[in-house]
Amino acid sequence: MYRYDEFDHRLVTERVEQFRGQVARRLSGELSEDEFKPLRLMNGVYLQLHAYMLRIAVPYGTLSSRQLHKLADIARKYDKGYGHFTTRQNLQLNWPALKDIPALLDELASVEMHCIQTSGNCIRNVTSDHYAGAASDEVEDPRIISEIIRQWSTFHPEFSFLPRKFKIAVCATKNDRAAIKVHDIGIQILKNAAGEIGYEVWVGGGLGRTPIIGKKIGDFIRREDLLAYLEATLRVYNMQGRRDNAYKARIKILVHEIGTEEMKRLVEEEFAAVKARGALQLPDAEVERIKAYFAAPAFETLPDATPELDAAIAREPAFADWVKANVTAHRVPGYAIVNVSLKPIGKPPGDATSDQMDAVADIAEKYAFSEIRVAHEQNLCLAHVRKKDLYAVWQALSAADLATANVGLITDQIACPGLDYCNLANARSISVAERISERFADLKLQHEIGRLHINTSGCINACGHHHVGHIGILGVDKKGVEYYQVTIGGAADETAAVGDIVGPAFTEAEIVDAVDTIVKTYLDLRKDGEIFLDTYRRVGVQPFKEKLYAAH
């Protein structure tokens, strides 16, 4: 895990003190809210419906037990005793008082955390695969280059006031768990025939008002050139991205308007100029220095066969269900990856109480090398757990109400905070997600349905990634009444796709029944071995549309 150096410490400390003065000026009335807004946004502070919201950065989704304990304590001390984990691998606090935020930031800094660049028109928190360092098919740990990008992008003088926000995601496996194709820049780590590391670069992905899947412009950018290539891409966007219309300011609109080939030409031209200056060539020594921070933990030499695990699975059906859904293979024999569901039936997706955060931190300290990951699906992950400890981990998670056995199943939903919190939202998201999980609470039914992702957003900004849900739900406002538009067939993985709108929106009273109809139609149409997305891609939207609107 990366540890701050003297420059990091100074940078974060200076930013806290700077913001302390800005908050004092706002509270005294010296700054108006309009004057304060750009200052608070650069420090991750939003103004929502009922209170300020603070977005805390979790770079590439990696936390230590010490850091998670601190987040739990902060939520207890400065908020209402819970936090919300987001699709950007961050943690949001929904109720901090503005007067307390500088002290809160001081406490974050004490455990090498901050809120820098979690909002504003800058390069946001770099995200990555929550299985980093544990996945068996990984080319290399994607957190290494993610950290290098974080250092390059933090307070970058040229890219602090971009046309719009900018998001970068990194993946190092064929199975894309970082949703790289729906980011402004997505990076796929590759290895060529000579064994050299390189990077495939995708540009112009994004959701929101205009959902677009990214386009590949770099086939194999060498490691020493990656920062120069990113600099060139951001420079083209900064010069040519639109500033006259916030709805058309993202890089995806630029790529769409000028075309992929022209974007690639412009980037290559700028890349050649940046390379010629040589200042951004990434030295091998620096890569090795950062790589050392992400060295594998001290794994024991263990047999992969674990009789005590097999016995516990045979003895305890609830544990067997949890292992089936929430435990994934690890690259090291005798170890497993544990996914911690933050999706209990009938509760807000992605929320965790302070006590639950403390529990996960304790479990990680005892069983997982004191390391926790945040998944973009709004769950947590313990990346390195001995198989023989899985039963004890399950017992500890169960005691904290964190052992819901549903990862990857229909109740493992993504949802934004929606109209319960957000002043941009048109409709509620949380209550819809809760009612859907209650409708499909039966675990046997969930397994019969198989892998199916439902994503819900309360507005077109798509914080719930509804466009790339297998079933996507978008809250819309019709003359003051909440309605829900449904899309089908989206995907955020290596087969990324934007879902198809099925037809007219459904009322709040109808939406859960509509999802039920979609699922039943799938079960009637599927062939052996097909998941929902397979069936949809085979038969198309028409059979679902016919069933959904048969009674209308």
Side-chain angles (χ1 to χ4, degrees):
M1 183 176 296
Y2 179 73
R3 296 183 297 279
Y4 278 13
D5 60 21
E6 60 182 296
F7 302 106
D8 293 303
H9 280 293
R10 189 176 69 206
L11 181 150
V12 172
T13 300
E14 287 176 353
R15 170 48 68 93
V16 172
E17 285 308 304
Q18 180 189 62
F19 191 55
R20 191 187 306 278
Q22 292 165 351
V23 169
R25 290 161 65 202
R26 173 69 189 109
L27 293 174
S28 71
E30 185 180 346
L31 289 176
S32 69
E33 177 55 38
D34 285 344
E35 291 169 327
F36 183 56
K37 181 178 179 180
L39 303 175
R40 62 171 168 80
L41 286 177
M42 291 299 286
N43 291 275
V45 182
Y46 287 77
L47 183 57
Q48 294 199 307
L49 274 178
H50 312 293
Y52 285 102
M53 178 269 280
L54 182 68
R55 182 178 293 152
I56 299 168
V58 183
Y60 35 84
T62 296
L63 286 166
S64 67
S65 291
R66 178 170 171 253
Q67 289 171 329
L68 188 55
H69 275 309
K70 176 57 73 174
L71 293 177
D73 188 49
I74 284 172
R76 196 179 282 119
K77 186 174 179 181
Y78 297 105
D79 206 277
K80 294 190 176 183
Y82 73 96
H84 176 73
F85 289 96
T86 78
T87 53
R88 292 291 300 157
Q89 297 181 309
N90 294 316
L91 180 71
Q92 291 182 181
L93 299 178
N94 288 306
W95 302 99
L98 181 60
K99 65 180 178 60
D100 293 332
I101 291 178
L104 190 163
L105 295 178
D106 257 340
E107 295 206 32
L108 284 176
S110 73
V111 293
E112 303 186 347
M113 297 189 75
H114 59 74
C115 301
I116 294 168
Q117 294 184 198
T118 59
S119 59
N121 294 339
C122 57
I123 301 171
R124 300 286 186 89
N125 185 49
V126 180
T127 58
S128 190
D129 183 0
H130 51 288
Y131 292 173
S136 59
D137 59 339
E138 187 175 84
V139 174
E140 75 169 2
D141 192 323
R143 295 174 301 169
I144 299 165
I145 200 65
S146 296
E147 172 57 27
I148 290 170
I149 294 170
R150 184 195 71 81
Q151 294 189 22
W152 160 78
S153 64
T154 300
F155 293 149
H156 194 299
E158 192 175 340
F159 305 138
S160 292
F161 295 96
L162 293 165
R164 277 292 272 128
K165 58 188 175 182
F166 203 92
K167 301 175 181 179
I168 300 174
V170 185
C171 180
T173 60
K174 290 180 180 178
N175 297 318
D176 178 11
R177 285 178 291 268
I180 64 171
K181 294 180 184 177
V182 293
H183 282 74
D184 298 285
I185 288 180
I187 298 170
Q188 179 78 48
I189 305 178
L190 307 169
K191 187 177 286 187
N192 66 14
E196 299 167 314
I197 295 292
Y199 306 93
E200 188 177 80
V201 178
W202 296 72
V203 172
L207 303 177
R209 189 173 298 270
T210 310
I212 296 177
I213 301 302
K215 308 299 189 295
K216 185 170 68 170
I217 64 167
D219 293 313
F220 192 86
I221 308 303
R222 295 188 175 277
R223 177 146 57 194
E224 63 268 23
D225 294 330
L226 181 63
L227 292 185
Y229 196 85
L230 297 181
E231 182 105 354
T233 304
L234 266 295
R235 189 165 290 169
V236 169
Y237 169 54
N238 204 22
M239 290 188 292
Q240 304 221 13
R242 293 182 61 171
R243 285 181 160 85
D244 62 323
N245 187 329
Y247 301 125
K248 297 183 178 181
R250 297 291 293 273
I251 193 174
K252 63 186 177 183
I253 302 299
L254 175 63
V255 176
H256 177 72
E257 289 183 346
I258 69 175
T260 305
E261 289 307 310
E262 177 63 5
M263 183 69 186
K264 182 173 182 177
R265 186 192 71 77
L266 290 171
V267 170
E268 291 289 345
E269 187 178 279
E270 188 65 35
F271 177 46
V274 174
K275 266 183 77 173
R277 289 192 289 274
L280 273 177
Q281 186 169 14
L282 186 56
D284 288 342
E286 178 63 10
V287 175
E288 293 303 313
R289 184 182 77 84
I290 298 297
K291 185 183 289 187
Y293 288 113
F294 299 99
F299 293 122
E300 298 174 30
T301 302
L302 299 169
D304 205 41
T306 313
E308 55 264 63
L309 172 60
D310 297 336
I313 289 171
R315 181 179 69 246
E316 189 115 25
F319 175 62
D321 288 335
W322 179 79
V323 170
K324 181 179 180 180
N326 292 34
V327 176
T328 301
H330 196 283
R331 66 181 179 85
V332 175
Y335 284 82
I337 300 168
V338 170
N339 297 288
V340 181
S341 173
L342 299 182
K343 317 292 176 59
I345 302 300
K347 298 290 179 66
D351 281 7
T353 68
S354 292
D355 289 347
Q356 287 176 323
M357 286 188 256
D358 276 332
V360 173
D362 287 338
I363 293 165
E365 194 168 351
K366 187 171 183 179
Y367 298 109
F369 301 98
S370 294
E371 192 172 319
I372 304 100
R373 311 289 177 76
V374 183
H376 92 267
E377 294 95 344
Q378 298 178 288
N379 291 320
L380 300 179
C381 173
L382 304 175
H384 313 296
V385 177
R386 296 187 304 182
K387 286 185 173 183
K388 62 184 179 181
D389 291 330
L390 286 174
Y391 186 74
V393 168
W394 172 72
Q395 287 181 307
L397 289 172
S398 297
D401 195 24
L402 288 168
T404 308
N406 65 345
V407 171
L409 302 177
I410 192 170
T411 61
D412 181 16
Q413 301 171 78
I414 288 175
C416 73
L419 195 55
D420 288 316
Y421 296 96
C422 183
N423 57 354
L424 299 176
N426 297 314
R428 287 167 292 173
S429 303
I430 293 171
S431 58
V432 170
E434 290 171 343
R435 287 165 52 216
I436 290 171
S437 73
E438 288 166 349
R439 175 68 63 93
F440 296 98
D442 180 75
L443 193 56
K444 184 178 179 182
L445 174 61
Q446 291 187 55
H447 281 292
E448 182 187 353
I449 293 166
R451 185 158 68 89
L452 201 167
H453 304 308
I454 299 179
N455 298 2
T456 303
S457 298
C459 78
I460 198 65
N461 290 301
C463 293
H465 290 194
H466 66 276
H467 295 295
V468 290
H470 296 174
I471 299 173
I473 300 171
L474 167 64
V476 295
D477 179 281
K478 291 189 176 184
K479 297 180 180 178
V481 179
E482 295 172 53
Y483 277 78
Y484 295 89
Q485 185 184 81
V486 174
T487 55
I488 311 181
D493 59 12
E494 62 280 3
T495 67
V498 173
D500 303 310
I501 298 173
V502 297
F506 298 90
T507 66
E508 184 184 3
E510 295 170 333
I511 185 59
V512 178
D513 288 336
V515 171
D516 200 317
T517 298
I518 293 169
V519 172
K520 286 175 179 173
T521 304
Y522 149 64
L523 292 175
D524 288 341
L525 291 170
R526 74 173 171 187
K527 293 183 176 179
D528 289 347
E530 285 186 335
I531 64 168
F532 177 86
L533 198 56
D534 296 332
T535 300
Y536 181 78
R537 288 174 173 174
R538 177 172 56 81
V539 304
V541 72
Q542 196 57 36
F544 295 92
K545 185 176 291 191
E546 289 172 2
K547 292 287 187 181
L548 278 169
Y549 300 104
H552 284 242

mmCIF file of all heavy atoms in Angstrom, residues 98-130:
data_model
loop_
_atom_site.group_PDB
_atom_site.id
_atom_site.type_symbol
_atom_site.label_atom_id
_atom_site.label_comp_id
_atom_site.label_asym_id
_atom_site.label_seq_id
_atom_site.Cartn_x
_atom_site.Cartn_y
_atom_site.Cartn_z
ATOM 1 N N LEU A 98 -20.611 22.426 7.953
ATOM 2 C CA LEU A 98 -19.515 23.130 7.284
ATOM 3 C C LEU A 98 -18.442 23.561 8.283
ATOM 4 O O LEU A 98 -17.241 23.447 8.004
ATOM 5 C CB LEU A 98 -20.058 24.343 6.525
ATOM 6 C CG LEU A 98 -19.022 25.168 5.756
ATOM 7 C CD1 LEU A 98 -18.310 24.312 4.712
ATOM 8 C CD2 LEU A 98 -19.687 26.375 5.103
ATOM 9 N N LYS A 99 -18.846 24.004 9.456
ATOM 10 C CA LYS A 99 -17.869 24.481 10.443
ATOM 11 C C LYS A 99 -16.917 23.376 10.897
ATOM 12 O O LYS A 99 -15.807 23.651 11.361
ATOM 13 C CB LYS A 99 -18.597 25.058 11.659
ATOM 14 C CG LYS A 99 -19.398 24.045 12.462
ATOM 15 C CD LYS A 99 -20.090 24.683 13.666
ATOM 16 C CE LYS A 99 -20.927 23.687 14.443
ATOM 17 N NZ LYS A 99 -20.143 22.548 14.993
ATOM 18 N N ASP A 100 -17.359 22.107 10.772
ATOM 19 C CA ASP A 100 -16.550 20.976 11.238
ATOM 20 C C ASP A 100 -15.636 20.416 10.159
ATOM 21 O O ASP A 100 -14.744 19.598 10.469
ATOM 22 C CB ASP A 100 -17.465 19.839 11.725
ATOM 23 C CG ASP A 100 -18.237 20.207 12.973
ATOM 24 O OD1 ASP A 100 -17.749 21.044 13.750
ATOM 25 O OD2 ASP A 100 -19.345 19.646 13.171
ATOM 26 N N ILE A 101 -15.838 20.789 8.907
ATOM 27 C CA ILE A 101 -15.111 20.116 7.828
ATOM 28 C C ILE A 101 -13.602 20.326 7.891
ATOM 29 O O ILE A 101 -12.845 19.365 7.681
ATOM 30 C CB ILE A 101 -15.708 20.498 6.452
ATOM 31 C CG1 ILE A 101 -17.112 19.878 6.327
ATOM 32 C CG2 ILE A 101 -14.816 20.015 5.305
ATOM 33 C CD1 ILE A 101 -17.837 20.205 5.040
ATOM 34 N N PRO A 102 -13.082 21.519 8.227
ATOM 35 C CA PRO A 102 -11.619 21.621 8.353
ATOM 36 C C PRO A 102 -11.040 20.666 9.402
ATOM 37 O O PRO A 102 -9.997 20.040 9.159
ATOM 38 C CB PRO A 102 -11.413 23.091 8.747
ATOM 39 C CG PRO A 102 -12.578 23.795 8.130
ATOM 40 C CD PRO A 102 -13.728 22.851 8.305
ATOM 41 N N ALA A 103 -11.695 20.529 10.551
ATOM 42 C CA ALA A 103 -11.213 19.580 11.566
ATOM 43 C C ALA A 103 -11.304 18.154 11.056
ATOM 44 O O ALA A 103 -10.421 17.319 11.313
ATOM 45 C CB ALA A 103 -12.031 19.739 12.851
ATOM 46 N N LEU A 104 -12.377 17.864 10.325
ATOM 47 C CA LEU A 104 -12.541 16.537 9.722
ATOM 48 C C LEU A 104 -11.394 16.263 8.752
ATOM 49 O O LEU A 104 -10.812 15.156 8.752
ATOM 50 C CB LEU A 104 -13.898 16.503 9.008
ATOM 51 C CG LEU A 104 -14.471 15.186 8.475
ATOM 52 C CD1 LEU A 104 -15.959 15.343 8.208
ATOM 53 C CD2 LEU A 104 -13.774 14.725 7.210
ATOM 54 N N LEU A 105 -11.062 17.232 7.906
ATOM 55 C CA LEU A 105 -9.962 17.060 6.953
ATOM 56 C C LEU A 105 -8.633 16.860 7.667
ATOM 57 O O LEU A 105 -7.770 16.108 7.198
ATOM 58 C CB LEU A 105 -9.884 18.274 6.021
ATOM 59 C CG LEU A 105 -11.065 18.493 5.076
ATOM 60 C CD1 LEU A 105 -10.868 19.760 4.255
ATOM 61 C CD2 LEU A 105 -11.270 17.295 4.158
ATOM 62 N N ASP A 106 -8.453 17.527 8.812
ATOM 63 C CA ASP A 106 -7.253 17.317 9.624
ATOM 64 C C ASP A 106 -7.151 15.858 10.062
ATOM 65 O O ASP A 106 -6.073 15.248 10.031
ATOM 66 C CB ASP A 106 -7.299 18.212 10.874
ATOM 67 C CG ASP A 106 -6.408 19.425 10.744
ATOM 68 O OD1 ASP A 106 -5.486 19.408 9.897
ATOM 69 O OD2 ASP A 106 -6.628 20.397 11.479
ATOM 70 N N GLU A 107 -8.272 15.306 10.487
ATOM 71 C CA GLU A 107 -8.273 13.907 10.928
ATOM 72 C C GLU A 107 -7.991 12.968 9.764
ATOM 73 O O GLU A 107 -7.278 11.964 9.918
ATOM 74 C CB GLU A 107 -9.599 13.576 11.606
ATOM 75 C CG GLU A 107 -9.826 14.343 12.899
ATOM 76 C CD GLU A 107 -10.749 13.605 13.862
ATOM 77 O OE1 GLU A 107 -10.729 12.354 13.866
ATOM 78 O OE2 GLU A 107 -11.475 14.276 14.610
ATOM 79 N N LEU A 108 -8.555 13.264 8.590
ATOM 80 C CA LEU A 108 -8.244 12.459 7.412
ATOM 81 C C LEU A 108 -6.745 12.499 7.105
ATOM 82 O O LEU A 108 -6.128 11.468 6.805
ATOM 83 C CB LEU A 108 -9.027 12.957 6.198
ATOM 84 C CG LEU A 108 -10.500 12.606 6.096
ATOM 85 C CD1 LEU A 108 -11.113 13.281 4.876
ATOM 86 C CD2 LEU A 108 -10.705 11.090 5.997
ATOM 87 N N ALA A 109 -6.178 13.693 7.172
ATOM 88 C CA ALA A 109 -4.751 13.843 6.869
ATOM 89 C C ALA A 109 -3.885 13.014 7.814
ATOM 90 O O ALA A 109 -2.803 12.553 7.432
ATOM 91 C CB ALA A 109 -4.354 15.315 6.934
ATOM 92 N N SER A 110 -4.364 12.802 9.037
ATOM 93 C CA SER A 110 -3.577 12.029 10.014
ATOM 94 C C SER A 110 -3.426 10.569 9.610
ATOM 95 O O SER A 110 -2.544 9.866 10.119
ATOM 96 C CB SER A 110 -4.213 12.132 11.411
ATOM 97 O OG SER A 110 -5.412 11.354 11.476
ATOM 98 N N VAL A 111 -4.288 10.095 8.692
ATOM 99 C CA VAL A 111 -4.169 8.713 8.202
ATOM 100 C C VAL A 111 -3.925 8.697 6.691
ATOM 101 O O VAL A 111 -4.280 7.758 5.990
ATOM 102 C CB VAL A 111 -5.413 7.866 8.560
ATOM 103 C CG1 VAL A 111 -5.506 7.650 10.055
ATOM 104 C CG2 VAL A 111 -6.699 8.485 8.004
ATOM 105 N N GLU A 112 -3.323 9.776 6.198
ATOM 106 C CA GLU A 112 -2.939 9.876 4.784
ATOM 107 C C GLU A 112 -4.146 9.757 3.850
ATOM 108 O O GLU A 112 -4.133 9.023 2.865
ATOM 109 C CB GLU A 112 -1.874 8.824 4.448
ATOM 110 C CG GLU A 112 -0.636 8.938 5.315
ATOM 111 C CD GLU A 112 0.494 8.000 4.914
ATOM 112 O OE1 GLU A 112 0.239 7.075 4.120
ATOM 113 O OE2 GLU A 112 1.617 8.201 5.396
ATOM 114 N N MET A 113 -5.180 10.539 4.160
ATOM 115 C CA MET A 113 -6.363 10.614 3.300
ATOM 116 C C MET A 113 -6.754 12.079 3.110
ATOM 117 O O MET A 113 -6.341 12.947 3.885
ATOM 118 C CB MET A 113 -7.529 9.822 3.889
ATOM 119 C CG MET A 113 -7.270 8.333 4.010
ATOM 120 S SD MET A 113 -8.753 7.402 4.459
ATOM 121 C CE MET A 113 -9.645 7.422 2.891
ATOM 122 N N HIS A 114 -7.567 12.324 2.087
ATOM 123 C CA HIS A 114 -7.966 13.699 1.773
ATOM 124 C C HIS A 114 -9.199 13.676 0.887
ATOM 125 O O HIS A 114 -9.735 12.614 0.548
ATOM 126 C CB HIS A 114 -6.820 14.437 1.075
ATOM 127 C CG HIS A 114 -6.375 13.787 -0.207
ATOM 128 N ND1 HIS A 114 -7.114 13.859 -1.369
ATOM 129 C CD2 HIS A 114 -5.275 13.047 -0.508
ATOM 130 C CE1 HIS A 114 -6.503 13.204 -2.325
ATOM 131 N NE2 HIS A 114 -5.387 12.693 -1.832
ATOM 132 N N CYS A 115 -9.645 14.881 0.496
ATOM 133 C CA CYS A 115 -10.796 15.037 -0.413
ATOM 134 C C CYS A 115 -10.401 15.813 -1.657
ATOM 135 O O CYS A 115 -11.269 16.301 -2.389
ATOM 136 C CB CYS A 115 -11.937 15.750 0.301
ATOM 137 S SG CYS A 115 -12.516 14.893 1.780
ATOM 138 N N ILE A 116 -9.120 15.918 -1.903
ATOM 139 C CA ILE A 116 -8.616 16.717 -3.018
ATOM 140 C C ILE A 116 -9.049 16.097 -4.347
ATOM 141 O O ILE A 116 -8.923 14.895 -4.563
ATOM 142 C CB ILE A 116 -7.082 16.827 -2.946
ATOM 143 C CG1 ILE A 116 -6.675 17.622 -1.705
ATOM 144 C CG2 ILE A 116 -6.495 17.452 -4.202
ATOM 145 C CD1 ILE A 116 -5.186 17.544 -1.376
ATOM 146 N N GLN A 117 -9.551 16.941 -5.256
ATOM 147 C CA GLN A 117 -9.928 16.553 -6.613
ATOM 148 C C GLN A 117 -10.980 15.447 -6.653
ATOM 149 O O GLN A 117 -11.004 14.642 -7.578
ATOM 150 C CB GLN A 117 -8.688 16.184 -7.441
ATOM 151 C CG GLN A 117 -7.793 17.391 -7.671
ATOM 152 C CD GLN A 117 -6.579 17.154 -8.552
ATOM 153 O OE1 GLN A 117 -5.647 17.936 -8.535
ATOM 154 N NE2 GLN A 117 -6.571 16.098 -9.323
ATOM 155 N N THR A 118 -11.856 15.430 -5.647
ATOM 156 C CA THR A 118 -13.006 14.530 -5.724
ATOM 157 C C THR A 118 -14.215 15.243 -6.323
ATOM 158 O O THR A 118 -15.307 14.672 -6.391
ATOM 159 C CB THR A 118 -13.375 13.971 -4.338
ATOM 160 O OG1 THR A 118 -13.672 15.059 -3.453
ATOM 161 C CG2 THR A 118 -12.256 13.128 -3.763
ATOM 162 N N SER A 119 -14.016 16.491 -6.732
ATOM 163 C CA SER A 119 -15.037 17.240 -7.445
ATOM 164 C C SER A 119 -14.330 18.339 -8.223
ATOM 165 O O SER A 119 -13.114 18.483 -8.159
ATOM 166 C CB SER A 119 -16.067 17.825 -6.477
ATOM 167 O OG SER A 119 -15.432 18.680 -5.540
ATOM 168 N N GLY A 120 -15.103 19.123 -8.979
ATOM 169 C CA GLY A 120 -14.519 20.178 -9.779
ATOM 170 C C GLY A 120 -14.104 19.692 -11.159
ATOM 171 O O GLY A 120 -14.097 18.499 -11.449
ATOM 172 N N ASN A 121 -13.727 20.644 -12.014
ATOM 173 C CA ASN A 121 -13.353 20.333 -13.402
ATOM 174 C C ASN A 121 -11.868 20.010 -13.492
ATOM 175 O O ASN A 121 -11.071 20.755 -14.066
ATOM 176 C CB ASN A 121 -13.718 21.497 -14.326
ATOM 177 C CG ASN A 121 -15.216 21.692 -14.414
ATOM 178 O OD1 ASN A 121 -15.990 20.773 -14.129
ATOM 179 N ND2 ASN A 121 -15.633 22.883 -14.802
ATOM 180 N N CYS A 122 -11.520 18.893 -12.900
ATOM 181 C CA CYS A 122 -10.128 18.468 -12.814
ATOM 182 C C CYS A 122 -10.074 16.957 -13.019
ATOM 183 O O CYS A 122 -11.085 16.312 -13.272
ATOM 184 C CB CYS A 122 -9.551 18.846 -11.454
ATOM 185 S SG CYS A 122 -10.500 18.152 -10.076
ATOM 186 N N ILE A 123 -8.876 16.391 -12.910
ATOM 187 C CA ILE A 123 -8.728 14.939 -13.002
ATOM 188 C C ILE A 123 -9.113 14.347 -11.653
ATOM 189 O O ILE A 123 -8.470 14.606 -10.643
ATOM 190 C CB ILE A 123 -7.290 14.554 -13.389
ATOM 191 C CG1 ILE A 123 -6.923 15.175 -14.742
ATOM 192 C CG2 ILE A 123 -7.156 13.028 -13.455
ATOM 193 C CD1 ILE A 123 -5.456 15.039 -15.111
ATOM 194 N N ARG A 124 -10.153 13.541 -11.638
ATOM 195 C CA ARG A 124 -10.710 13.011 -10.402
ATOM 196 C C ARG A 124 -9.900 11.807 -9.881
ATOM 197 O O ARG A 124 -8.930 11.362 -10.491
ATOM 198 C CB ARG A 124 -12.171 12.610 -10.626
ATOM 199 C CG ARG A 124 -13.090 13.757 -11.069
ATOM 200 C CD ARG A 124 -13.406 14.697 -9.925
ATOM 201 N NE ARG A 124 -14.391 15.714 -10.301
ATOM 202 C CZ ARG A 124 -15.713 15.574 -10.202
ATOM 203 N NH1 ARG A 124 -16.235 14.448 -9.756
ATOM 204 N NH2 ARG A 124 -16.521 16.564 -10.547
ATOM 205 N N ASN A 125 -10.373 11.271 -8.775
ATOM 206 C CA ASN A 125 -9.770 10.083 -8.164
ATOM 207 C C ASN A 125 -9.613 8.957 -9.189
ATOM 208 O O ASN A 125 -10.565 8.573 -9.858
ATOM 209 C CB ASN A 125 -10.684 9.620 -7.019
ATOM 210 C CG ASN A 125 -10.111 8.472 -6.225
ATOM 211 O OD1 ASN A 125 -8.962 8.518 -5.814
ATOM 212 N ND2 ASN A 125 -10.909 7.436 -6.005
ATOM 213 N N VAL A 126 -8.393 8.430 -9.341
ATOM 214 C CA VAL A 126 -8.133 7.336 -10.274
ATOM 215 C C VAL A 126 -8.678 6.034 -9.684
ATOM 216 O O VAL A 126 -8.393 5.699 -8.532
ATOM 217 C CB VAL A 126 -6.620 7.202 -10.554
ATOM 218 C CG1 VAL A 126 -6.353 6.051 -11.519
ATOM 219 C CG2 VAL A 126 -6.071 8.508 -11.120
ATOM 220 N N THR A 127 -9.466 5.313 -10.472
ATOM 221 C CA THR A 127 -10.071 4.069 -9.989
ATOM 222 C C THR A 127 -9.445 2.864 -10.676
ATOM 223 O O THR A 127 -8.817 2.972 -11.727
ATOM 224 C CB THR A 127 -11.594 4.077 -10.216
ATOM 225 O OG1 THR A 127 -11.864 4.262 -11.610
ATOM 226 C CG2 THR A 127 -12.258 5.187 -9.439
ATOM 227 N N SER A 128 -9.651 1.690 -10.047
ATOM 228 C CA SER A 128 -9.022 0.485 -10.589
ATOM 229 C C SER A 128 -9.782 -0.760 -10.134
ATOM 230 O O SER A 128 -10.835 -0.674 -9.491
ATOM 231 C CB SER A 128 -7.554 0.423 -10.155
ATOM 232 O OG SER A 128 -6.869 -0.591 -10.842
ATOM 233 N N ASP A 129 -9.236 -1.907 -10.450
ATOM 234 C CA ASP A 129 -9.829 -3.200 -10.137
ATOM 235 C C ASP A 129 -9.683 -3.494 -8.641
ATOM 236 O O ASP A 129 -8.579 -3.436 -8.097
ATOM 237 C CB ASP A 129 -9.108 -4.272 -10.957
ATOM 238 C CG ASP A 129 -9.662 -5.673 -10.782
ATOM 239 O OD1 ASP A 129 -10.636 -5.855 -10.019
ATOM 240 O OD2 ASP A 129 -9.110 -6.605 -11.402
ATOM 241 N N HIS A 130 -10.789 -3.815 -7.982
ATOM 242 C CA HIS A 130 -10.717 -4.106 -6.547
ATOM 243 C C HIS A 130 -10.063 -5.457 -6.254
ATOM 244 O O HIS A 130 -9.794 -5.762 -5.096
ATOM 245 C CB HIS A 130 -12.112 -4.044 -5.913
ATOM 246 C CG HIS A 130 -13.157 -4.845 -6.621
ATOM 247 N ND1 HIS A 130 -13.682 -4.474 -7.829
ATOM 248 C CD2 HIS A 130 -13.788 -5.994 -6.282
ATOM 249 C CE1 HIS A 130 -14.589 -5.354 -8.214
ATOM 250 N NE2 HIS A 130 -14.663 -6.289 -7.303
#
